[in-house]
Amino acid sequence: MDDIIIVGAGIGGLTLGLALHAAGIPCRIFESAAEIRPIGVGINLLPHATRELATLGLEAALARVAITTEDATFFNRFGQLIYQEALGRAAGYEHPQFSIHRGDLQMVLLDAFRARAGHDRLSTGRHCIAVEQDESGVNVSFSDGPAGSHRGTVRGRAAIACDGINSAIRKQFFPDEGEPRYSGVNMWRGVTRWKPMLSGASMVRAGWLSHGKMVIYPIRPAGADGLQLINWVAEIETPVYRKRDWNRPGTIDDFIGAFADWHFDWLDVPAFIRTADSVLEFPMVDQDPLPRWSFGRVTLLGDAAHPMVPRGSNGAGQAILDARVLVSALLENGNPTAALASYEKQRLEATTRIVLANRTNPPDAILREVFQRTHDRPFNAIDDVISREELMALSEGYKRIAGYSKDALRG
C-alpha cells in the first residue's frame, strides 16, 4: 500500500526506481514486455544526466560499456568541416558525456535496481490498462499484454507513468490527443562495426535534412578486432511515413541514394551503411506539450510526459532529470498529491521549452545555417559563411535551454 507504483521499466522508470530506493521510498515497477531485453540503438547521456546517474553510483558501470564522448563535429554533405567543440569532461564539465547502446544503459539500470531493491520489486508481462484513485491511494489495473486477459489490480500510494509516448495513462487523461505529431523527417537507424573514426570518440552530424543528414557516433569500446560498434542515423525530409515502431526493419535502398557520393577522407559513408548489422526505420515524431501532467496521485514522466524529436541528444536525459526532481518532491512533501504538483511545477515548463527547441533550433541548426547560406554548395572557408562566434552561440543557446550549460550545472 505504501509503494509508489511505476508503470514502465525503460530508462525513466528504472532511474526513478533506483532514486526512490536510494531515498528510502518503497516502490514497485511493472513492465509491459514479457522479458526486458537489451534492444534499441545508440543514445547520448549529456553531463546533466550523467551527474544524476553518478549520484546513484552508476558512473563506473556506464563507463565500462559506453564511449566517453570527447567532441561534437559538424560537416556539410561534401565532407567539409564546419565546426568542432569539445564535449563532457574534455570541455571542462565535472561529469562526462556518454554515448551508449540503449540496451546497455537499460541493463546497467536494471541490474542495479534488482541488486539493490530485489527481483520481486520488478514485474514483467504487466501491461497497464488504467489507473483509478481515491483519497488514500491508487489502483492500477494490468493485463498480461496489450491484448491480454485481465491480471488484476495493484494498490499503491501514487502511480507514475513511465510507459513512453504511447502511454496508456497519458491516453486516459488526454483521450482526444490523437496520434504523435510527425516532424516531416523519416529516420533509418543502425549500428555498424567499423574502425574508429576521427577522435574515436566523436559525435558527428553531417549534411542537412532536405538532402540527407547523418548522425554518427561510437557506442561501445573497440573489441579485440579493433572495431567499434558505431551508431548511425540517416534523416531525410519525407512527406509520407508509417506509424512508429521501434523494431520495424528498414531497407537500405530506400535511403542510401541520398548518401551515395559521401566518400570522405574520414569515412566512406555508403560502405559504412551497407556494413550495418541491421537497419530500423521509424518516423521522427513528438507530441505537443501538455497543459499538465499531474492528476492527484498520478503523474507522467519521461516520454509519457514530454516526448521530443531526437535532435538534441536529450530525451533520455530529461527523463533522468524528471526522476531526480520527482524524488526530491516526494521527500519534501508528505502528501503525494502536493509532491506530484511540485514536480510538475518544476519540470513542465522546462521540458516544454526543450520540446519546442528540438523542433526549431537544436544543435544541428548549425548545419541548417550553413546549408542555407551556401545554397548547398561547397565553401572556400567556413569563416566566409558564418563566424565561429555565431556557431558557438547556436551551440551554447541549446545547452542553456536544455539545462546543461556549465553555468547551470555549477548552480
Side-chain angles (χ1 to χ4, degrees), residues 1-9 13-14 16-18 20-21 24-31 36 110 112-124 126 154-157:
M1 170 56 204
D2 288 336
D3 292 337
I4 301 291
I5 305 301
I6 301 171
V7 178
L14 288 167
L16 177 61
L18 284 163
L20 287 168
H21 178 76
I25 301 173
C27 65
R28 295 181 67 190
I29 303 177
F30 295 87
E31 165 58 35
I36 300 175
L110 177 66
F113 180 78
R114 283 177 165 162
R116 298 174 189 182
H119 282 249
D120 63 327
R121 290 269 132 188
L122 191 154
S123 301
T124 57
R126 305 295 290 274
V154 176
R155 180 81 173 165
R157 189 155 60 103

Side-chain angles (χ1 to χ4, degrees), residues 25 38 45 51 83-84 102 122 162 201 216 218 220 252 270-271 322 378 388:
I25 301 173
L45 295 173
R51 178 176 69 172
Y83 180 64
Q84 184 175 45
R102 185 194 176 282
L122 191 154
C162 304
I216 306 168
R220 280 182 189 154
I252 286 176
D322 287 349
R388 182 163 181 85

Side-chain angles (χ1 to χ4, degrees), residues 268-314:
D268 184 330
V269 174
F272 172 77
I273 291 172
R274 291 195 180 279
T275 311
D277 290 356
S278 61
V279 178
L280 303 174
E281 175 193 354
F282 44 88
M284 185 183 288
V285 296
D286 65 7
Q287 291 277 33
D288 287 330
L290 295 173
R292 59 184 296 196
W293 301 342
S294 298
F295 299 82
R297 292 172 175 267
V298 183
T299 196
L300 312 176
L301 184 147
D303 274 357
H306 46 72
M308 55 190 69
V309 293
R311 289 178 61 193
S313 301
N314 207 16

Side-chain angles (χ1 to χ4, degrees), residues 186-189 242 245-252 254-255 277-282:
N186 206 49
M187 300 187 293
W188 290 264
R189 302 193 64 165
R242 290 184 290 168
D245 176 357
W246 285 110
N247 301 309
R248 183 173 63 238
T251 303
I252 286 176
D254 286 347
F255 68 94
D277 290 356
S278 61
V279 178
L280 303 174
E281 175 193 354
F282 44 88

Side-chain angles (χ1 to χ4, degrees), residues 4 25 157-158 160 294 296-297 299 325-346:
I4 301 291
I25 301 173
R157 189 155 60 103
I160 318 299
S294 298
R297 292 172 175 267
T299 196
V325 172
L326 179 51
V327 173
S328 295
L330 286 165
L331 288 171
E332 292 166 7
N333 294 275
N335 181 336
T337 299
L340 301 192
S342 172
Y343 153 72
E344 177 189 294
K345 185 176 181 180
Q346 294 178 67

Side-chain angles (χ1 to χ4, degrees), residues 39-43 100-103 189-191 217 219 231-233 246 278 280 282:
I39 60 172
V41 280
I43 62 174
I100 188 169
H101 192 292
R102 185 194 176 282
R189 302 193 64 165
V191 292
Y217 53 90
I219 55 175
N231 180 83
W232 55 265
V233 190
W246 285 110
S278 61
L280 303 174
F282 44 88

Side-chain angles (χ1 to χ4, degrees), residues 127 129 142-151:
H127 182 74
I129 303 169
F142 295 95
S143 67
D144 53 1
S149 58
H150 194 265
R151 280 272 296 274

Side-chain angles (χ1 to χ4, degrees), residues 327-405:
V327 173
S328 295
L330 286 165
L331 288 171
E332 292 166 7
N333 294 275
N335 181 336
T337 299
L340 301 192
S342 172
Y343 153 72
E344 177 189 294
K345 185 176 181 180
Q346 294 178 67
R347 292 295 293 153
L348 190 147
E349 184 181 343
T351 55
T352 293
R353 288 196 299 269
I354 300 167
V355 169
L356 299 179
N358 278 14
R359 293 179 180 179
T360 55
N361 285 304
D364 64 7
I366 286 170
L367 300 176
R368 179 192 64 211
E369 286 298 308
V370 173
F371 175 86
Q372 291 175 344
R373 296 187 192 193
T374 61
H375 305 289
D376 191 34
R377 290 196 290 266
F379 51 77
N380 291 322
I382 189 60
D383 291 342
D384 298 336
V385 179
I386 186 170
S387 69
R388 182 163 181 85
E389 288 72 26
E390 286 179 278
L391 292 166
M392 290 175 65
L394 284 166
S395 178
E396 293 301 318
Y398 183 80
K399 291 172 189 171
R400 283 193 297 275
I401 291 171
Y404 68 101
S405 66

